[in-house]
Amino acid sequence: GAVVSQHPSWVICKSGTSVKIECRSLDFQATTMFWYRQFPKQSLMLMATSNEGSKATYEQGVEKDKFLINHASLTLSTLTVTSAHPEDSSFYICSARHFRGAPRRETQYFGPGTRLLVL
Amino acid sequence: DQQVKQNSPSLSVQEGRISILNCDYTNSMFDYFLWYKKYPAEGPTFLISISSIKDKNEDGRFTVFLNKSAKHLSLHIVPSQPGDSAVYFCAASRMNRDDKIIFGKGTRLHILP
């Protein structure tokens, strides 16, 4: 299947600092990427949809000024957690939309996730 | 309103037996369904998918069945292996390419030795 990478895989930071997480589609171009958050023993929570060349679309309840998303190219989206606080500690996962087959069907391929711990 | 429901938060199955994971959906416009597997601290991995024009799709030990009239799909794993212990997410989407894939809350599968 298609490969999506995330960097870093884990990060520990002090409260008040900003953290940037990168998501890359390695062997395909993705006009759309998604950012999820997962709390322990809970499901994936979609945070926002990242569209190449345009503004991200945020889900209800997600602060767009807190979680900055940039989709600068067809293979890279970044999520920046600004002024991170301990409650932002979580597992962040990105995915990239990939179309395949005939008729074209969408499959999302996920990155390995980034664990963020804010002290 | 939860459009994709996985009503069993967990399931335990003996190694070698069949694991059946269930999923229900409410939106009759969904026409493409996917299953993902997730280990702790990793991203979900795509397992298998099915289009609404089919009622069954098989890939090795994994088979997905779709019952459109009941708005129900299931994932069968046979025989179950220890490495199958994970959380399984059911997902659905519509034909419109701009629509998001909607995920269920997941079912944690435990394969017992």
Side-chain angles (χ1 to χ4, degrees), chain B residues 1 8 10-13 17-18 22-23 32-33 35-36 38-40 42 44 46 60 66 70 74 85-86 103 112-113:
Chain B
D1 177 36
S8 298
S10 68
L11 174 69
S12 295
V13 174
R17 307 292 280 269
I18 183 171
N22 293 305
C23 178
Y32 187 55
F33 305 90
W35 283 95
Y36 287 82
K38 185 182 182 302
Y39 293 118
E42 293 184 15
F46 170 71
L66 175 63
S74 60
S85 294
F103 287 87
L112 306 171

Side-chain angles (χ1 to χ4, degrees), chain B residues 18 23 35 50 54-57 63-67 72-76:
Chain B
I18 183 171
C23 178
W35 283 95
I50 188 167
K54 294 185 174 183
D55 55 18
K56 176 183 174 181
N57 189 24
T63 304
V64 56
F65 294 91
L66 175 63
N67 182 334
H72 177 84
L73 63 153
S74 60
L75 174 68
H76 292 212

Side-chain angles (χ1 to χ4, degrees), chain B:
Chain B
D1 177 36
Q2 202 179 339
Q3 298 187 66
V4 178
K5 301 177 184 179
Q6 292 178 257
N7 293 318
S8 298
S10 68
L11 174 69
S12 295
V13 174
Q14 207 75 35
E15 181 181 353
R17 307 292 280 269
I18 183 171
S19 294
I20 301 176
L21 297 132
N22 293 305
C23 178
D24 297 295
Y25 60 95
T26 58
N27 190 339
S28 58
M29 298 298 291
F30 287 145
D31 66 345
Y32 187 55
F33 305 90
L34 311 95
W35 283 95
Y36 287 82
K37 174 181 179 180
K38 185 182 182 302
Y39 293 118
E42 293 184 15
T45 303
F46 170 71
L47 264 182
I48 192 169
S49 63
I50 188 167
S51 165
S52 60
I53 61 173
K54 294 185 174 183
D55 55 18
K56 176 183 174 181
N57 189 24
E58 191 172 349
D59 183 2
R61 295 186 299 114
F62 303 93
T63 304
V64 56
F65 294 91
L66 175 63
N67 182 334
K68 289 190 293 293
S69 60
K71 294 194 185 69
H72 177 84
L73 63 153
S74 60
L75 174 68
H76 292 212
I77 307 172
V78 57
S80 299
Q81 299 175 352
D84 296 330
S85 294
V87 176
Y88 290 80
F89 291 99
C90 169
S93 70
R94 298 197 300 176
M95 191 177 289
N96 185 327
R97 63 177 288 169
D98 291 331
D99 280 5
K100 292 173 288 199
I101 287 180
I102 308 297
F103 287 87
K105 292 193 172 184
T107 296
R108 185 175 299 275
L109 176 64
H110 300 272
I111 303 302
L112 306 171

Side-chain angles (χ1 to χ4, degrees), chain A residues 34 36 38 41 43-44 46 49 59 91 93 97 99-100 104-113 115, chain B residues 31-32 34 36 38 41-44 46 49 51 89 93 95 97-101 103-106 108:
Chain A
F34 303 90
Y36 294 84
Q38 185 181 32
K41 297 186 179 180
S43 182
L44 304 168
L46 178 64
T49 302
E59 296 300 302
F91 191 57
I93 310 172
R97 173 180 268 169
F99 288 92
R100 61 176 192 162
R104 277 153 54 88
R105 294 294 182 182
E106 174 191 353
T107 300
Q108 278 187 36
Y109 291 94
F110 287 83
R115 184 162 298 284
Chain B
D31 66 345
Y32 187 55
L34 311 95
Y36 287 82
K38 185 182 182 302
E42 293 184 15
F46 170 71
S49 63
S51 165
F89 291 99
S93 70
M95 191 177 289
R97 63 177 288 169
D98 291 331
D99 280 5
K100 292 173 288 199
I101 287 180
F103 287 87
K105 292 193 172 184
R108 185 175 299 275

Side-chain angles (χ1 to χ4, degrees), chain A residues 30-33 50-53 69-78:
Chain A
T31 55
T32 306
M33 291 184 173
S50 171
N51 300 298
E52 188 267 337
I69 290 172
N70 182 271
H71 196 148
S73 76
L74 289 172
T75 59
L76 173 63
S77 174
T78 60

